[in-house]
Amino acid sequence: MFNSKTPIQRTRRISMAVAAGALLSTTALAGCSVANSEDAAGGSAAPGAAVSDTLRVVLQQEPPTLEACESNLTSTGVVVRSTITEPLIERNPTTGELEPKLATEWSSDDDTTWTLKLREGVKFHDGSDFTAEDAAVTIERAVNSDLGCNVEGYVFGDDDLKVTAVDDSTLEVTAVKADPILPLRLSFLEVVPSETSATEKVREPIGTGPYKLDKWDAGQSINASAFADYWGEAPAFAKANYQWRSEGSVRAAMITSGEADIATGLSPEDNIGDRGVSYPNNETVALRMHADKAPFTDIKVRQAVNYAIDKESIVASLYGGRDKAAAQLVPEGVVGHSDSLPVWPYDPEKAKSLVEEAKAAGVDTSAQISLIVRTAQFPKIEELGQVIQEQLSQAGLNVKLKMLETSQHLTYQVRPFPTDDEGAIMLMTQHGNQAGDAAFTVDQYMTTKGAQSAFGTAELDKLIEEADASSEADRQAAFEKVFQYQNDNVVQFAHIAHQTGMLGIAQSVNYEPNSSSGDELRLAEVTAAK
Amino acid sequence: MLTYLRKRIISSAVPLLVVIVGVFALARMTGNPAALYLPLNATEAMREDFAIRNGLDQPIWVQMAQYFGGVLRFDFGSSMRTGESAADMALRAFPATLQLAGTTMVIAIVLAVIVGSAAALKPNGILDRFCSFLSMTAASIPDFWLAIVGIWVFAITLGWVPTSGVMGMAAWVLPVATLVMRPFGTLVQVVRGAMVSSLSEPYIKLARSKGATEYRVVGAHALRNAAAPGLTVAGDLTVGLVNGAVVVETIFGWPGIGKLMIDSILQRDFAVLQACVLLTAVAIFILNILIDVGYALLDPRVRPSAGAHKRRKARSEFRGQSNGPSTPSAPTANNPAAAVLDA
């Protein structure tokens, strides 16, 4: 009867076709760059296909920047340090010794002015020669400029350095006051060419390292290739490819499936199996007690906290025995760590009696203690908080567990501390000393006015000042004394454990992780498995 | 229709303004970003430098005025985290999310229409019961669980697809399959319900009695009338995906806007957060208009008054051609018989 379509029907069909077409077009065109991305080897990656000349690394997160003066940030340094760029001096993470890199030797008569002889025959990735001028600009840029480099705050503070390029291969660096560990501080500076902007940060640096940056596909991957004119030994892999996945189980799966050769930041819960290799990562977990409110006003209660926590059981049950019960804030390998300092023994009866003694002396031991813990700061931290809460409760203390996200937790971590919290504060802190010298720990954690210190004593401040000024063998003994004094007379901290990190390492490569692997993964140290 | 669109744009401007102000104010209530960006031992002078460099030393109303001025120029400032332009970062991430959302919804809609229609042919039959079970299961499975299980089964055990990433088309399989489940499950139930209702209408019996094929009865008549509720639900589901499939983007390392937004919240990266939220809000606003337009095209009853003239004109043309009955011809529930006139 009516074979032709009505206008409304036609309109409807056209509109639906247009809508479907639009949706499909959006899908096809919205981001072709994502759909057609290529792998490190330049082709479409087949699952599990190993690319023999490419070292594939999967990180926890995309580096925010590769700016050399931000390389003390873990997410930046893990790519940049000693791979793309290099420092003048490098700290051996295993021995703790300073070793030559772009500087071959260094010396000082007064610990204030340091003279560095620089390596000759070194080229930057842009083909220019490395000279003392480049080293001078690097220091000026990172320490003395208004760039706001992270490394300045982390290592150097407000004081500037005077830098002079004596000749092409000699550099003179003068500190404001005697600084026996200035060479160690300089090891944090990655050298860039003198042409590098002094007014803006540079996301993709030019360095002298064994690998040069090829391409950074923001959001997806970073590709690098071996630098043909590298002054040192050529790396084993011609290319390197970095990707990032925030889920640990996915990073582990990439190792298992053959999609990556090295995965950082894993834990045994990620099902990495035999491919997971643990290593001491220089991180220490401790509780910091604020002595401004009861019951922590009495040292007996702070001692009771140390006796009440069963550190050995925590390490064994929560961390598979990989971590090590701690007696101080720095682990083995850091200058100042004392091997002879005993771990507080687990003695619940002693803890109870100390709390009773404090109560008898008039301290309100029933006052609430807020145990401040950062959510997901490290594996099983929630369980650790609960165990500590329970063990302290058994000692007769009233502990309330407060799980906070990072920025809230930071308000408790750094001065000025919140004052409106209920009861006394006990902060669970994870401290990493990647510098290798206890000065980087005690200055901020133990001095009376330290940024991360709740309190201190004049005697301890004096000991720290002496230790900071001492050098070489005296330095080790001086810091050992500081840690001993903390445990005997101050007891601001209850140390829990020196932690371990875990890398996933595929069968296709050989790599032995060290305490710095999480912060600077030196790709030149990775070789192909035979 | 233009009047309708104009009204929708004007009425959406207020919520958009609320979003702009809201995200600005709420972001700043979450704390000082200096603590996250500076080393813990940074000195007071360094904290002051940081505040000055990022304009955080200015009074809040000055910051807001600068922000509004920037929005008008599509300049959201620079990321505190990366130093890049916030607008560039958001615009770079958004296509990846649109691709994922678009692909997911196309597949979900097509599958849901097929499965939902098949299930509706014999209500309470074996196929219907199976489809109901399938759809409810699909709509209920947590996507993070599905994603992890998918990786273990299809990437690690079988080795068919990569675990994650965006390299090659095979990398799309697991993220899309994970994302498809919920919209598919929900849409199957909606399509099935609407189709059962449509198929029981008298005009369907009339169509069948006129000898129309089953394919035409279901595909051309019943499905068309059942499309409106499906479109509404599909629109809502698409909005959810465009807003960022955070879990899937996080697990599979998909560089989309959901992951970028979460990272910028956690890092107090105000400029990026503001750019992401505004971009998403505009996209959702446009999507909502498209859905409204699609809905109006499908169902004349919800068509705006501005469309009445065209509808009357269409009816008049229709009557002129057919000399048929003077009733409206739109195949709606009001007059389902019209739907079979071209059977």
Side-chain angles (χ1 to χ4, degrees), chain A residues 236-276:
Chain A
F237 290 88
K239 294 176 182 174
N241 168 251
Y242 293 93
Q243 294 186 56
W244 36 89
R245 304 286 183 268
S246 40
E247 274 300 303
S249 58
V250 175
R251 292 195 298 278
M254 289 178 74
I255 295 291
T256 313
S257 67
E259 290 173 48
D261 301 308
I262 294 179
T264 63
L266 297 181
S267 71
E269 290 72 39
D270 293 324
N271 284 326
I272 186 65
D274 294 345
R275 304 317 317 161

Side-chain angles (χ1 to χ4, degrees), chain A residues 2 6 12-13 15 27 30-31 34 64 150 153-154 157-158 203 218 220 245-246 250 253-254 259 405 407 414 452, chain B residues 37 39-41 43 46 81-82 92 95 99 102-103 156 163-166 224 250-251 255 268 297 318 322 331 341:
Chain A
F2 298 105
T6 67
R12 194 172 295 127
R13 286 189 176 176
S15 63
T27 303
V34 176
N150 205 282
Y154 186 63
D158 288 334
R203 279 176 57 77
Q220 297 178 39
R245 304 286 183 268
S246 40
V250 175
M254 289 178 74
E259 290 173 48
E405 60 98 32
S407 67
V414 188
Q452 298 186 69
Chain B
Y37 288 93
L40 293 171
N41 56 333
T43 61
M46 289 171 187
R81 209 168 81 85
T82 69
R92 191 168 60 221
Q99 274 189 308
T103 309
I156 296 180
T163 55
S164 55
V166 292
R224 189 182 299 166
T250 301
I251 290 177
R268 306 292 184 272
L297 290 171
F318 170 69
S322 65
L341 293 179

